[in-house]
């Protein structure tokens, strides 16, 4: 990766942050009122917190959501351009900065377009209306006779611009959401492919990521983690390390140990020396691995709950056939390509942190707890990371950097994790068990369905309203701020039970969750939370039931599905893939289909996967065809990229990825221990979009992972006649399959 030395001002300008000072009237100062407003406006009601007309003929819009590779800033800029009637190129966007943007919590759950996009639509529509009203007064022309083109307001023969009238308009007021956004027919930028704002620096080797940051006088830091989760530090030779070349600071606080140096290689050598001299007490308290893990998970204390139930159908007196199956998913890592990093500076009792956290406002709260200071003394600014979607080590690295910055006499420090830090200490996606049962009547229709889940928590991210802290640094201090036990997310979105409630029309259903709150292995939000595993189980099982019923998998799904949008994506995916009803695999190649509406709230997605199984039992996905309904399409390429990326990531999870450990330590420490898809593994992917211009936009970022895993599983079963139920489907597991 190419790096460039920039001043702080240059870096902020390059990453799209406006350097001129601008003070919001407190993005969280206006509490939620009794009258709800659309999207993110409800909790961030000040209009000037969303939009500003600049004197240089540009427009700045603000969002609490952040760019993490999903293209969201591009989509939001498109929305603003259309609602304001300005060219897309005039729109500048500032995102996720606790000093200057609305507080929109986490960028997660495929909600950015729905929440922030909706807020911006109404905020920009209101701003446009106010500007037109002011122009009407100045030009003495009725508002309805005015037209706008790229910020120029005209009514022949008079004309003026937004930038001329803006000085007479104040957005420093609460939004009303009474100005109606434009109808689809008037969109000029929405629905079009436009240049992505985040790509140029990434593809040219520019300053794109927090890992690239260089500030004047910046030091380089490394943290020395314990060798296992609950190890305690007994002693370490700090003096010898302080004497090493370039070392500026060594910080020890309880089990937290870190070093800062003038150069990066000096920091790495110093951290290695600290690790070599450190003496730790360890406890062998990790669960068993392999298949024994799932027996252990079932035996752990759990909070049991009925997630969803339907009243049993009246008994018909006919013959009922019961089918059962159990599916498992191991702990899986984010596998961020760039280890987590952050830059922090501590001056005059205040902390400035640059971070690739997906939630700068919740992180600020957690950092204040760990640093034993007030929230007002911490500012978090989002900078993209060469990382991933989900809760990886970004928040933890931010805390590490801030703790270390206290010892550097005001100099900024960039703390970056090493590869083994990332693999050993990031929060994983939870291991899960899904036990399924279905009953068929004499007509071979499903009359009863049960989905039972065992899972650890799926969301231990920093949060603004918890008593404890969810950053590692806070746990490791001599005076620690330990985490609190998180609750499972409520339905309909859910967390461990996400997508466990079927969209199919089953007369009787029962969804049960065994929520195992104890986390001997650290878990949190891996992309889709529990949906990847639950859709794997649900859509694999419906294939198994279809086979038992002697039915084609596509026909069987449609037979039990009334939702017209769900039916449409299933039918389109099958059509585009060239689905042949009743076709059987030949022992080495096969085809499978699967469907889900992510969270039963976001986009509808169906995937057809083609696989081959070679003589070594290695599975290769050769082609994946997807159909997607994401409501109103803002940026077609953005949706396609999200669905493609989700399919490829899911295929890698499905065929390769599994965290390994013994009873004391995580043993997955490098890419050699955790293989992922390479370019040679990537299948041909086709994505077909169904535009629904009269429907609201639906999130797509996590829509394809669940259908992809199940489609691959179903394709393997179609090819071999043997059903894979234990992820990942490595050659040894495929070899061991039975009919």
């Amino acid at each position: 990766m190419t790096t460039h030395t920039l001043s702080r001002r240059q870096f902020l300008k390059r990453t799209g942050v406006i350097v001129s000072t601008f003070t919001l009237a407190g993005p969280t100062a206006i509490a939620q009122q009794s009258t709800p407003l659309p999207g993110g406006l409800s909790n961030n009601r000040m209009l000037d917190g969303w939009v500003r007309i600049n004197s240089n003929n540009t427009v700045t819009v603000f969002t609490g959501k952040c760019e993490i590779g999903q293209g969201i800033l591009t989509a939001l800029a498109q929305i603003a351009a259309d609602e304001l009637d300005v060219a897309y190129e005039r729109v500048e966007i500032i995102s996720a900065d606790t000093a200057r943007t609305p507080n929109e919590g986490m960028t997660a759950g495929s909600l950015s377009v729905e929440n922030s996009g909706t807020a911006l639509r109404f905020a920009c529509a209101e701003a446009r209306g106010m500007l037109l009203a002011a122009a009407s007064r100045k030009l003495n022309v009725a508002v309805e006779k005015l037209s706008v083109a790229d910020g120029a307001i005209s009514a022949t023969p008079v004309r003026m611009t937004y930038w001329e009238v803006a000085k007479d308009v104040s957005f420093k007021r609460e939004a009303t959401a009474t100005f109606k956004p434009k109808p689809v027919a008037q969109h000029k930028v929405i629905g079009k492919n436009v240049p992505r704002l985040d790509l140029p620096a990434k593809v040219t080797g520019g300053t794109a990521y927090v890992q690239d940051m260089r500030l004047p006088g910046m030091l380089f830091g490394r943290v020395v983690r314990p060798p296992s989760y609950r190890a305690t530090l007994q002693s370490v030779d700090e003096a010898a390390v302080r004497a090493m070349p370039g070392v500026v600071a060594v910080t020890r606080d309880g089990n937290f140990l870190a070093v800062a140096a003038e150069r990066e290689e000096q920091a790495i050598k110093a951290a290695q020396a600290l690790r070599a001299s450190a003496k730790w007490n360890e406890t062998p308290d990790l669960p068993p691995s392999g298949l024994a893990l799932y027996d252990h998970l079932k035996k752990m204390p759990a909070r049991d709950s009925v997630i969803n139930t339907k009243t049993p159908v009246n008994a018909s007196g006919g013959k009922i056939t019961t089918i059962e199956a159990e599916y498992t998913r191991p702990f899986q890592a984010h596998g961020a390509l760039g280890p987590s990093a952050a830059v922090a500076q501590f001056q005059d009792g205040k902390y400035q942190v640059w971070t690739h956290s997906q939630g700068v406002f919740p992180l600020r709260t957690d950092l204040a707890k760990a640093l034993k200071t007030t929230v007002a003394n911490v500012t978090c600014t989002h900078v993209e990371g060469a990382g991933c979607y989900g809760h990886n080590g970004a928040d933890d690295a931010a805390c590490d950097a801030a703790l270390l910055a206290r010892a550097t006499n005001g100099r900024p420090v960039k703390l970056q994790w090493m590869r083994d830090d990332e693999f050993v200490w990031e929060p994983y996606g939870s291991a899960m068990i899904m036990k399924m049962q279905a009953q068929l009547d004499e007509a071979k229709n499903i009359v009863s369905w049960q989905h039972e889940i065992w899972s650890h928590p799926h969301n231990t991210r920093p949060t603004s309203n918890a008593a404890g802290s969810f950053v590692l640094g806070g746990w490791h201090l001599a005076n620690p701020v330990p985490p609190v036990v998180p609750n499972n997310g409520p339905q309909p979105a859910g967390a461990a039970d996400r997508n466990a409630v079927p969209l199919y029309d089953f007369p009787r259903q029962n969804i049960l969750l065994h929520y195992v709150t104890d986390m001997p292995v650290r878990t949190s939000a891996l992309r889709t939370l529990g949906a990847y595993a639950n859709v794997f189980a649900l859509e694999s099982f419906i294939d198994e039931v279809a086979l038992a019923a002697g039915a084609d998998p596509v026909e069987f799904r449609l037979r039990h599905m009334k939702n017209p949008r769900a039916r449409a994506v299933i039918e389109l995916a099958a059509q585009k893939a060239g689905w042949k009803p009743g076709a059987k695999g030949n022992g080495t190649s096969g085809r499978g289909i699967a469907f889900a509406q992510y969270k039963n709230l976001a986009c509808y997605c169906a995937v057809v996967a083609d696989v081959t199984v070679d003589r070594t039992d290695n599975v290769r996905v050769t082609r994946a065809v997807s159909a997607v309904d994401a409501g109103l399409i803002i940026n077609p390429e953005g949706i396609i990229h999200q669905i493609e990326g989700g399919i490829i990531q899911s295929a890698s999870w499905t065929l390769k990825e599994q965290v390994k450990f013994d009873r004391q330590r995580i043993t997955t420490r490098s890419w050699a221990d955790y293989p992922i898809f390479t370019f040679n593994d990537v299948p041909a992917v086709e994505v077909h979009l169904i535009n629904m211009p009269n429907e609201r936009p639906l999130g797509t970022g996590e829509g394809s992972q669940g259908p992809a895993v199940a489609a691959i599983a179903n394709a393997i079963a179609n090819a071999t006649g043997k059903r894979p139920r234990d992820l990942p489907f490595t050659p040894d597991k495929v070899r061991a399959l039975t009919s």
Side-chain angles (χ1 to χ4, degrees):
M1 182 181 295
T2 303
T3 58
H4 304 276
T5 301
L6 301 174
S7 71
R8 178 176 182 271
R9 183 179 183 85
Q10 288 172 321
F11 178 80
L12 294 174
K13 290 181 73 175
R14 289 263 189 105
T15 51
V17 178
I18 308 303
V19 178
S20 57
T21 57
F22 174 64
T23 303
L24 282 180
T28 57
I30 304 299
Q32 185 168 352
Q33 306 296 310
S34 57
T35 303
L37 295 178
L41 278 177
S42 263
N43 295 323
N44 304 274
R45 303 172 79 95
M46 296 301 292
L47 191 59
D48 66 344
W50 294 94
V51 60
R52 184 179 72 195
I53 307 298
N54 303 315
S55 60
N56 64 349
N57 295 356
T58 63
V59 172
T60 300
V61 294
F62 302 85
T63 174
K65 301 298 183 181
C66 59
E67 181 64 61
I68 49 176
Q70 81 281 42
I72 187 58
L73 299 190
T74 300
L76 294 178
Q78 288 179 259
I79 290 170
D82 258 346
E83 292 299 340
L84 287 168
D85 271 322
V86 298
Y88 168 74
E89 293 76 15
R90 291 190 190 273
V91 179
E92 300 172 324
I93 190 160
I94 294 178
S95 68
D97 186 327
T98 60
R100 299 191 291 176
T101 67
N103 180 356
E104 295 191 89
M106 286 286 172
T107 302
S110 300
L111 290 170
S112 294
V113 167
E114 292 186 48
N115 288 346
S116 198
T118 297
L120 274 174
R121 287 188 73 192
F122 279 89
C124 290
E126 186 159 345
R128 179 182 183 274
M130 293 171 65
L131 291 166
L132 286 178
S136 171
R137 293 190 295 270
K138 280 184 167 292
L139 298 174
N140 197 27
V141 177
V143 169
E144 57 269 18
K145 293 184 179 181
L146 296 175
S147 63
V148 186
D150 192 17
I153 307 167
S154 61
T156 306
V158 293
R159 179 183 182 277
M160 70 186 315
T161 69
Y162 283 166
W163 299 278
E164 292 170 317
V165 76
K167 61 181 179 292
D168 298 316
V169 177
S170 174
F171 295 159
K172 196 176 184 62
R173 69 172 219 192
E174 285 197 35
T176 63
T178 56
F179 292 77
K180 190 175 181 180
K182 289 184 177 180
V184 173
Q186 294 181 22
H187 289 166
K188 297 176 181 177
V189 186
I190 290 173
K192 302 291 193 304
N193 294 320
V194 298
R196 282 267 296 265
L197 297 174
D198 61 310
L199 290 185
K202 295 175 182 176
V203 300
T204 61
T207 303
Y209 301 117
V210 69
Q211 286 91 344
D212 299 327
M213 279 188 70
R214 298 290 187 273
L215 298 180
M218 190 176 79
L219 300 171
F220 296 85
R222 287 296 186 273
V223 65
V224 178
R225 291 278 179 231
S228 55
Y229 281 141
R230 282 158 282 279
T232 55
L233 181 59
Q234 301 304 299
S235 64
V236 63
D237 191 347
E238 296 179 52
V241 175
R242 292 181 194 277
M244 292 179 67
V247 171
V248 174
V250 175
T251 292
R252 178 189 175 183
D253 187 339
N255 292 321
F256 179 81
L257 189 61
V259 60
E262 296 285 353
R263 297 177 57 85
E264 191 159 22
E265 74 275 12
Q266 293 170 334
I268 293 172
K269 288 180 181 179
Q272 291 170 340
L274 281 173
R275 183 174 289 109
S277 71
K279 306 297 182 186
W280 304 85
N281 280 346
E282 296 186 74
T283 304
D285 56 0
L286 294 185
S289 56
L291 291 177
L293 168 66
Y294 305 112
D295 291 334
H296 176 81
L297 183 57
K298 283 185 176 180
K299 295 174 183 176
M300 294 185 73
R303 298 177 183 173
D304 296 342
S305 56
V306 176
I307 301 303
N308 185 276
T309 188
K310 281 186 178 179
T311 304
V313 295
N314 294 328
S316 63
K319 180 181 178 182
I320 295 294
T321 302
T322 299
I323 303 163
E324 295 182 329
E326 188 169 286
Y327 304 84
T328 52
R329 174 233 185 140
F331 294 106
Q332 292 177 313
H334 294 81
L337 294 180
S340 296
V343 176
Q345 190 167 19
F346 179 62
Q347 289 181 312
D348 302 322
K350 296 184 181 296
Y351 298 85
Q352 169 67 60
V353 182
W354 292 268
T355 170
H356 57 116
S357 168
Q358 289 179 221
V360 292
F361 283 91
L363 172 61
R364 178 180 63 167
T365 301
D366 254 24
L367 290 183
K369 296 173 190 173
L371 297 167
K372 310 296 192 298
T373 188
T374 65
V375 168
N377 288 332
V378 182
T379 298
C380 293
T381 300
H382 182 267
V383 181
E384 279 196 81
C388 62
Y389 304 107
H391 182 195
N392 65 344
D395 300 288
D396 301 318
C399 183
D400 296 341
L403 288 168
L404 184 55
R406 294 196 294 200
T408 60
N409 295 318
R411 294 176 66 178
V413 58
K414 182 177 79 171
L415 187 140
Q416 184 162 319
W417 282 11
M418 302 296 286
R419 174 54 57 195
D420 58 345
D421 292 327
E422 192 75 41
F423 271 124
V424 173
W425 285 99
E426 66 140 280
Y428 308 125
S430 177
M432 295 176 66
I433 305 164
M434 289 71 57
K435 185 177 180 181
M436 314 295 295
Q437 183 190 87
Q439 292 183 324
L440 289 171
D441 63 12
E442 288 186 310
K444 305 300 183 184
N445 293 318
I446 296 175
V447 293
S448 178
W449 181 273
Q450 180 163 300
H451 186 143
E452 193 171 3
I453 309 154
W454 287 261
S455 177
H456 295 289
H458 285 261
N459 193 354
T460 56
R461 279 175 154 149
T463 175
S464 298
N465 54 12
S469 172
F470 288 98
V471 286
L472 282 173
W475 308 349
H476 288 165
L477 300 176
N479 183 16
V481 186
V484 294
V485 177
N487 292 320
N488 189 54
Q491 283 287 332
D497 53 328
R498 180 167 292 179
N499 273 102
V501 178
L503 209 65
Y504 297 101
D505 298 288
F506 301 142
R508 175 185 179 183
Q509 66 186 37
N510 195 23
I511 314 301
L512 307 173
L513 173 63
H514 307 285
Y515 186 60
V516 181
T517 56
D518 183 39
M519 290 179 286
V521 174
R522 187 186 186 198
T523 64
S524 191
L526 182 63
R527 198 178 188 186
T528 80
L529 281 65
Y532 166 77
N534 284 317
V535 176
F536 159 55
L538 190 161
E539 287 288 308
S540 293
F541 191 54
I542 202 165
D543 249 49
E544 294 200 53
V545 178
L547 181 64
D552 175 74
V554 171
E555 182 278 324
F556 194 71
R557 283 173 170 79
L558 294 175
R559 186 194 310 177
H560 292 86
M561 179 65 73
K562 294 178 183 176
N563 187 306
R565 296 174 74 176
R567 291 177 63 91
V569 295
I570 294 171
E571 291 169 337
L572 182 59
Q575 174 199 335
K576 294 296 185 180
W579 185 271
K580 296 178 180 178
K584 296 186 182 300
N586 60 10
T588 59
S589 63
R591 172 173 287 175
I593 189 169
F595 156 81
Q597 182 190 14
Y598 181 54
K599 298 189 294 188
N600 291 351
L601 295 169
C603 73
Y604 299 81
C605 179
V607 175
V608 175
D610 291 340
V611 306
T612 60
V613 184
D614 66 20
R615 289 179 297 176
T616 66
D617 296 302
N618 181 65
V619 177
R620 182 177 181 85
V621 183
T622 57
R623 182 186 182 217
V625 178
S626 179
V628 182
D629 170 358
L632 170 66
I633 293 174
I634 305 298
N635 185 301
E637 281 189 353
I639 294 176
I640 290 170
H641 295 161
Q642 287 291 283
I643 298 299
E644 286 176 340
I647 289 171
I648 294 166
Q649 182 178 42
S650 180
S652 182
W653 289 342
T654 299
L655 298 181
K656 293 180 178 288
E657 299 185 35
Q658 179 175 2
V659 173
K660 296 183 179 180
F661 47 89
D662 57 28
R663 296 309 296 266
Q664 184 163 288
R665 296 183 177 184
I666 304 295
T667 56
T668 294
R669 306 183 68 86
S670 70
W671 291 119
D673 306 321
Y674 195 85
I676 63 172
F677 259 30
T678 65
F679 283 110
N680 288 334
D681 296 311
V682 173
V685 180
E686 301 172 24
V687 180
H688 302 276
L689 305 181
I690 301 174
N691 191 20
M692 302 290 283
N694 296 318
E695 300 287 347
R696 62 186 178 87
L698 299 176
T700 59
E702 297 163 293
S704 60
Q705 288 85 347
V709 57
I712 293 168
N714 293 335
I716 294 171
N718 179 251
T720 65
K722 300 176 181 179
R723 172 60 58 177
R725 299 191 183 99
D726 178 33
L727 290 165
F729 306 143
T730 53
D732 58 324
K733 291 185 179 181
V734 173
R735 194 173 303 121
L737 290 176
T738 58
S739 301

